[in-house]
């Protein structure tokens, strides 16, 4: 008989094994998955033409205009879905109190991450300041990264810190976001990073300013390669520096 260390662990294991409704539409599901087949068929998968560098959807094949002008510091970024419709709704819910959605995001993203980033040996998450974490109540990037590490067998590294608060980025241009994030992240254990092939996990990629700043910090600390996987990414329809 399996003995659990705590009531919280028992509840978590039960929740992992017993899911009766779709996390998106609420329909009953009977296969143990967290999305029903209907939602899985209609979510906006990012499986057409994408920029080979940032992984966002593009209208024509090839590197997007933003990456031509200033590529991200990651070696490759990819997202499972496009940030629109129900996918965008789920990300918003995840950021605003629906903590439980980390299980669904990890379940759906894990096979995709294993396929796209087989060479990555470790996973990191986007750190938050203590002030921001207390305000939200949890770090959604940590929850996603931890579950992805469990599902893919990659190492979860807790080697990053956010040195300072940054302003809300929703109304900032790409260039303003880059300035906002410049120097915001630091590696706390260079030895753990040196020579690693590291995958950054997060919920969404908008301009890429956050993963760019983290990738730069990791590479400066000796990481061999750095990648990024997100549940969604925002398609860029406007020139460099223009707000969405």
């Amino acid at each position: 008989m399996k003995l659990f260390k705590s009531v919280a662990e028992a509840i978590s294991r039960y929740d992992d094994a017993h899911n009766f409704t779709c996390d998106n539409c609420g329909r009953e599901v009977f296969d143990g998955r967290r999305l029903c087949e209907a939602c899985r068929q209609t979510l906006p998968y990012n499986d057409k033409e994408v920029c080979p560098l940032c992984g966002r959807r593009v209208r024509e094949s090839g590197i997007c205009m933003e990456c031509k002008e200033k590529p991200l510091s990651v070696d490759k970024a990819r997202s499972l879905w496009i940030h629109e419709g129900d996918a965008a709704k789920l990300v918003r819910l995840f950021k605003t109190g629906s903590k439980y959605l980390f299980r669904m995001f990890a379940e759906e993203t894990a096979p995709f991450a294993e396929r796209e980033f087989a060479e990555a040996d470790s996973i990191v998450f986007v750190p938050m300041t203590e002030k921001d974490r207390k305000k939200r109540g949890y770090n959604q990037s940590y929850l996603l990264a931890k579950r992805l590490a469990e599902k893919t067998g990659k190492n979860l590294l807790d080697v990053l810190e956010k040195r300072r608060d940054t302003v809300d980025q929703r109304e900032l241009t790409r260039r303003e976001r880059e300035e906002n994030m410049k120097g915001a992240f630091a590696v706390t254990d260079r030895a753990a990073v040196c020579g690693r092939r590291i995958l950054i996990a997060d919920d969404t990629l908008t301009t890429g300013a956050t993963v760019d700043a983290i990738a730069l910090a990791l590479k400066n600390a000796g990481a061999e390669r750095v990648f990024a996987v997100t549940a969604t990414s925002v398609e860029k329809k406007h020139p460099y520096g223009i707000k969405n």
Side-chain angles (χ1 to χ4, degrees), residues 139-191:
N139 180 340
Q140 78 278 3
S141 178
Y142 166 74
L143 294 173
L144 174 59
K146 183 175 183 292
R147 183 54 63 96
L148 277 178
E150 292 169 356
K151 286 186 168 294
T152 61
K154 301 182 191 297
N155 298 308
L156 178 68
L157 300 180
D158 186 357
V159 295
L160 293 163
E161 67 175 357
K162 192 172 183 183
R163 288 177 162 176
R164 58 178 174 80
D165 291 319
T166 49
V167 301
D168 191 321
Q169 300 208 119
R170 283 174 291 185
E171 298 301 319
L172 300 183
T173 66
R174 179 184 178 185
R175 197 159 298 180
E176 288 168 342
R177 287 179 182 227
E178 290 172 351
E179 287 299 316
N180 188 38
M181 287 295 168
K182 188 177 293 184
F185 302 104
V187 173
T188 59
D189 187 347
R190 296 176 68 90

Side-chain angles (χ1 to χ4, degrees), residues 156-238:
L156 178 68
L157 300 180
D158 186 357
V159 295
L160 293 163
E161 67 175 357
K162 192 172 183 183
R163 288 177 162 176
R164 58 178 174 80
D165 291 319
T166 49
V167 301
D168 191 321
Q169 300 208 119
R170 283 174 291 185
E171 298 301 319
L172 300 183
T173 66
R174 179 184 178 185
R175 197 159 298 180
E176 288 168 342
R177 287 179 182 227
E178 290 172 351
E179 287 299 316
N180 188 38
M181 287 295 168
K182 188 177 293 184
F185 302 104
V187 173
T188 59
D189 187 347
R190 296 176 68 90
V193 165
C194 189
R196 293 275 192 176
R197 298 182 299 278
I198 300 174
L199 178 62
I200 304 166
D202 201 10
D203 48 35
T204 191
L205 184 144
T206 306
T207 65
T210 299
V211 298
D212 183 67
I214 290 174
L216 187 59
L218 290 169
K219 287 188 172 183
N220 286 341
E224 180 182 330
R225 303 195 77 194
V226 180
F227 314 100
V229 64
T230 56
T232 70
S233 62
V234 175
E235 178 186 4
K236 293 302 288 182
K237 301 177 182 178
H238 301 290

